[in-house]
Structure formats: C-alpha cells, structure tokens
C-alpha cells in the first residue's frame, strides 16, 4: 500500500450519503436459500459517519503486475491463452454525484468459458481450462476508468432450486475512498435470457437496479479481429460536500 | 443523483478474487492483498484478533471473507482522507482474511488501535471496523470490534451508547486472553451481533 500523489486541493472529507437499502437487495431473500440462516433479523443500528467510516485504505498503481488485468494471459502457459470469447470489460467508477473515482482498486473473479470455477469446493462436471485462473485486478486511472481483458464466462448450475442456473457473470469488488463505500457486486451480460430467472438477481426488487448490473455490448471499443467489448460503469456512494463547514472530526 | 450500484453476494468462490493464493491459485499475485497489517517496525501493542462466524442454526461459516480497518496506535488512519496528520507508515490499517475452510476461523495479527473522535468531538473507545461477505450475504455486513480490557472507554463510547438494548452492546466486545482477542460473530438469532447502517 502506498500513499497516492496528493493534489494541491485537500481531499473531500465529508460524510457519505445514506445507503438506500430498498435499492440494494435485502438480507433475507428466501428465493436465494443461503440467505435464510445468514440474514440478521434484528434492525441495523445507524450513527453518523466518523473518521472510522470516512477513511479507507489507498492502493498505489505500483502494486500491480503487468498482467493483473489480463485474465486471458495471467494464468496461461507461455505462448498460450485461455479458451473462450475474448472480451474487454471496461468502464468508469463514479460516485453518486457523477464524479470519477480515481485510484479505486477493482478486483474481479469469474468462472471459465464452460462455467467452471478454479476452486476446490466446486464440483461441476465442466472441465477446468489449464490456461485460465479466473482472477484479476486493476486500479482506476485519473478519470476513474478501468479495463480488463478476459473471456466471457459460461453459465453454471447451482444447488438452490432443482434446476437453477446462474447467468454468465463476473464478480467485482470495489474500494472507494472510505471503508463504508466497500462494495461487492456482479456484472451480467446484455441479452442473457437467464437474467430474469436468477434467484440471486431476483433478490433485487427494483428492475432499474437490476438493469444497472447489466453490461452493454460496446462495439466502438471492441478490437477488430481480436476482442468484443462490454461497458460497465460502477457507482459508489457519494460524499456530502462540506466546503464551509469546519466539522469537529478532530480539527 | 446517480444510484449506487446494487450489491450482490460474494458467493462461495469469493476466494478466487480476494484471496487467490489462499484458494491455491498461485503465480498471479505474489501475495494476497491485506495478508499483513504490520511489519517489525510497527509501533504499538501487538495483538491477535481471531474468531468465527456463526449462522442462525449454530453452524460455523467456512466460506466467508472478513476485512478489518483500524487506526494506528495513536488513533490515526492510514488514508489520504485522514485530515489530522499522517498515520504510522509501518502500519497499513487494512487487512483481509478468509475463514479457514476446515475450522472456520479468521485471524489478524495487528496492533491495538488508538482512540478516534466521534462526529461531535467526543472520543470513541478503541475499536476496529469489520466488513463481512459470504455466500448468502447479499450486502456486506458492517460491524465493530471493541476490547474487553477497555471497560472505562467502552462505557463512554458514543456508538456503544447508541445501542438501545444494552445487552446487545456486549456482542461487540472481543474477549481478551493473553495477547489474543476472540470475536465471534453471530449472523442471526439469540446472540446476534450488532450490525450497522453507516
């Protein structure tokens, strides 16, 4: 972890906008069976943001290896590459006020083209790809932009209902500037007919919220004769602007 | 205003992305991020924080990831958003640990944090901020760990005082034995840990 370069403006240290927990999925959502015994039943307790909430770890670009963002090659043997539809997944990390979030660490993980994860607890019959590990990471640039190169993951069956299949998806973990912006989510692909059938996606009540998790085919940023591209922007909680208020946070 | 990207569960294979070396996917990242918080120059009292996460049926969860975020020994956060000065550069303040696939235990080697002010200037008791994700958890759970040997500070802590049912505040107190604090997290039921909306 390194200190990120400071500009001549002090970073905004305001508190975060409240999370809209009707927009996010609820803890208890019995259509997704694993939530039933893992959902808190007592009310969450609220209190105003302190420095414990408005600060968070910072990551420097120098932590990254050359292939950290390239899942086609970062686990492959020399001269080989992962099997599957070659895609670029890219977008911006923004906050709720639409401001880009630079220096945000974005980590992803996914199954291979056949829907098989490289994990010892995974027993699906589709084979592993010897040239595909399934994880990557990147840090957003000064404009909040990130990009990965990967293969499109396959759908896979899971023990929930008797015949449930996850849509093709990529898991994402994002750090903002404060620890309470911490977010894990999943990216889905435009046009996938499994999306409306998925019990995990259906934990989200608002169809506009579901739509925000769907990456769109982005022909303009595809590479002809090489890779298609999908665009996926990520919105983190915004900070309240406090330009004239000298808060009591230890000043 | 834009809407925040909705959360989704981290799922059972969260280790592939967050702790790939722990998941035996080696050769991509030299070390899992957040594996160490301290080095041999870190000032402060060395402690261990360890515990398990228990579901509503009393079962120990073996597929969770816990992240910790805490101040240094003087109460400063190692963050560009810390306005009071620079935290100790030998302490990251941030750690990440997968629960053991056999025992369900998580463990952090860290230091005892100093005290940090509350929004109104009162001083909070020493605490660490925890964030928990797993299969079956749709949105990461936020909680805090306080220390059993800080009874006086805990008694005046503005967050603990906000918990209307006093017995519930005890769920946030890690118990000291030697240099280790045990903090078991109960997701649901009688001893349910207090989780925050912050």
């Amino acid at each position: 972890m390194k200190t990120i370069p400071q500009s001549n403006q002090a970073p905004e240290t305001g508190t975060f906008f409240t999370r809209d927990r009707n927009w996010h999925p609820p803890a208890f959502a019995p259509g997704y069976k694993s939530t039933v015994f893992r959902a808190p039943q007592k009310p969450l307790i609220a209190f105003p943001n302190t420095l414990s909430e408005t600060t968070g770890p910072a990551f420097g670009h120098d932590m990254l290896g050359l292939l950290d963002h390239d899942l086609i090659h970062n686990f492959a043997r020399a001269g080989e590459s992962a099997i599957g539809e070659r895609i670029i997944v890219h977008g911006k990390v923004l906050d709720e006020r639409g401001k880009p979030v630079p220096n945000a660490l974005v980590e992803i993980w996914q199954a291979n083209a056949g829907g098989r994860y490289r994990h010892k607890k995974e027993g699906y019959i589709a084979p592993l790809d010897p040239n595909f590990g399934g994880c990557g990471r990147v840090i957003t640039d000064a404009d909040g932009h990130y990009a990965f190169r990967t293969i499109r993951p396959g759908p896979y069956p899971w023990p929930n209902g008797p015949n449930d299949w996850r849509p093709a998806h990529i898991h994402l973990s994002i750090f903002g500037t404060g620890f309470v912006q911490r977010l894990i989510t999943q990216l889905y692909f435009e046009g996938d007919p499994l999306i409306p059938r998925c019990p995990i996606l259906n934990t989200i009540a608002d169809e506009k919220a579901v739509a925000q998790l769907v990456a769109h085919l982005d022909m303009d940023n595809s590479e002809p004769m090489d890779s298609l591209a999908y665009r996926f922007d990520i919105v983190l909680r915004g900070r309240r602007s406090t330009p004239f208020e000298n808060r009591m946070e230890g000043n | 205003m834009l809407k925040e990207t909705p959360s989704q569960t981290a799922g059972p294979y969260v280790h592939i992305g967050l702790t790939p070396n722990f998941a035996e996917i080696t050769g991509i990242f030299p070390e899992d991020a957040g594996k160490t918080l301290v080095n041999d120059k870190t000032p402060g009292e060395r402690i261990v924080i360890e515990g398990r996460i228990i579901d509503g049926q009393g079962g120990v969860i073996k597929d969770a990831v816990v992240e910790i975020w805490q101040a240094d020994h003087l109460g400063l956060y190692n963050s560009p958003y810390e306005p009071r000065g620079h935290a100790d550069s030998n302490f990251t303040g941030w750690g990440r640990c997968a629960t053991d696939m056999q025992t369900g235990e998580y463990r952090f080697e860290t230091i005892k944090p100093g005290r940090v002010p509350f929004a109104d200037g009162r001083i909070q008791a020493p605490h660490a901020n925890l964030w928990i994700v797993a299969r079956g958890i749709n949105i990461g759970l936020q909680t805090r760990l306080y220390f059993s040997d800080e009874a006086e500070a805990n008694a005046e802590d503005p967050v603990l005082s906000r918990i209307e049912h006093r017995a519930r505040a005890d769920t946030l107190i890690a118990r000291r034995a030697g240099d280790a604090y045990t903090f078991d997290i109960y997701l649901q039921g009688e001893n349910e840990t207090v989780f925050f909306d912050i």
Side-chain angles (χ1 to χ4, degrees), chain B residues 59-73:
Chain B
V60 176
I61 289 188
K62 295 168 183 167
D63 55 10
V65 168
V66 183
E67 290 185 8
I68 189 169
W69 173 241
Q70 65 161 89
D72 70 6
H73 70 301

Side-chain angles (χ1 to χ4, degrees), chain A residues 1 3-4 6 11-13 17-21 23-29 32 34-59 63 67-68 74-75 94-99 105 107-110 117-123 133-137 156 166 171 173 175 177-186 188 200-201 203-204 209-210 212-213 232-237 239 247-251, chain B residues 1-20 22-34 36 54-57 60-64 67-69 75 77-84 86 89 92-96 100-102 116-122 124 127 129-131 133-144 146 158-159 162-165 168 186-198:
Chain A
M1 225 171 311
T3 307
I4 51 181
Q6 303 284 321
E12 290 187 324
T13 53
F17 297 124
T18 308
R19 214 162 222 170
D20 180 353
R21 289 183 182 267
W23 176 257
H24 286 286
F28 179 76
Y32 172 24
S34 297
T35 67
V36 171
F37 295 120
R38 293 185 172 199
Q41 293 167 324
K42 296 182 169 62
L44 302 179
I45 292 182
F47 61 86
N49 282 180
T50 73
L51 287 162
S52 302
E53 289 72 40
T54 57
T55 59
F59 301 91
M63 77 183 272
L67 295 177
D68 281 10
N74 69 15
F75 193 76
L94 309 162
D95 74 8
E96 290 168 295
R97 292 191 289 170
K99 296 176 56 161
L105 176 64
E107 298 163 293
I108 66 169
W109 68 100
Q110 63 168 90
Y117 282 97
R118 185 172 288 279
H119 194 284
K120 61 165 71 167
K121 295 287 169 79
E122 155 77 283
C135 65
R137 62 186 181 186
Y156 69 89
R166 296 302 324 281
H171 297 265
S173 165
F175 286 82
T177 55
F179 196 55
V180 294
Q181 284 176 304
R182 211 54 196 88
L183 181 71
I184 279 183
T185 190
Q186 299 182 30
Y188 303 91
I200 288 179
L201 256 173
T203 61
I204 298 174
V210 172
Q212 203 169 326
L213 296 181
F232 187 72
D233 289 344
I234 299 160
V235 181
L236 300 178
R237 294 170 68 179
R239 280 184 196 267
R247 294 180 62 83
M248 289 294 288
E249 290 166 342
N251 294 322
Chain B
M1 277 234 304
L2 299 174
K3 293 295 283 185
E4 189 185 4
T5 298
S7 177
Q8 291 268 267
T9 179
Y13 310 125
V14 56
H15 314 109
I16 296 172
L18 300 192
T19 57
F22 171 84
E24 298 172 18
I25 301 174
T26 55
I28 301 184
F29 308 145
E31 183 179 85
D32 289 338
T36 52
I54 296 131
D55 72 16
Q57 296 286 85
V60 176
I61 289 188
K62 295 168 183 167
D63 55 10
E67 290 185 8
I68 189 169
W69 173 241
Y77 283 101
N78 190 351
S79 163
Y81 295 82
E82 166 61 83
R84 297 168 301 156
H86 287 291
S89 59
T92 68
W94 175 75
R96 175 187 278 169
D100 185 274
M101 288 188 204
Q102 272 76 47
V116 177
F118 194 61
D120 61 7
R122 283 182 290 165
Q124 305 179 81
H127 65 276
N129 310 285
L130 298 185
W131 183 74
V133 292
R135 168 176 67 88
I137 296 177
N138 282 332
I139 182 164
L141 295 169
Q142 293 154 320
T143 189
R144 281 184 171 196
Y146 289 82
V159 171
R162 207 167 258 260
I163 300 168
E164 186 186 343
H165 301 95
R168 294 208 66 212
Y186 291 83
L187 297 182
Q188 186 187 86
E190 201 181 342
N191 302 315
E192 187 173 306
T193 300
V194 170
F195 298 105
F196 295 115
D197 186 4
I198 44 180

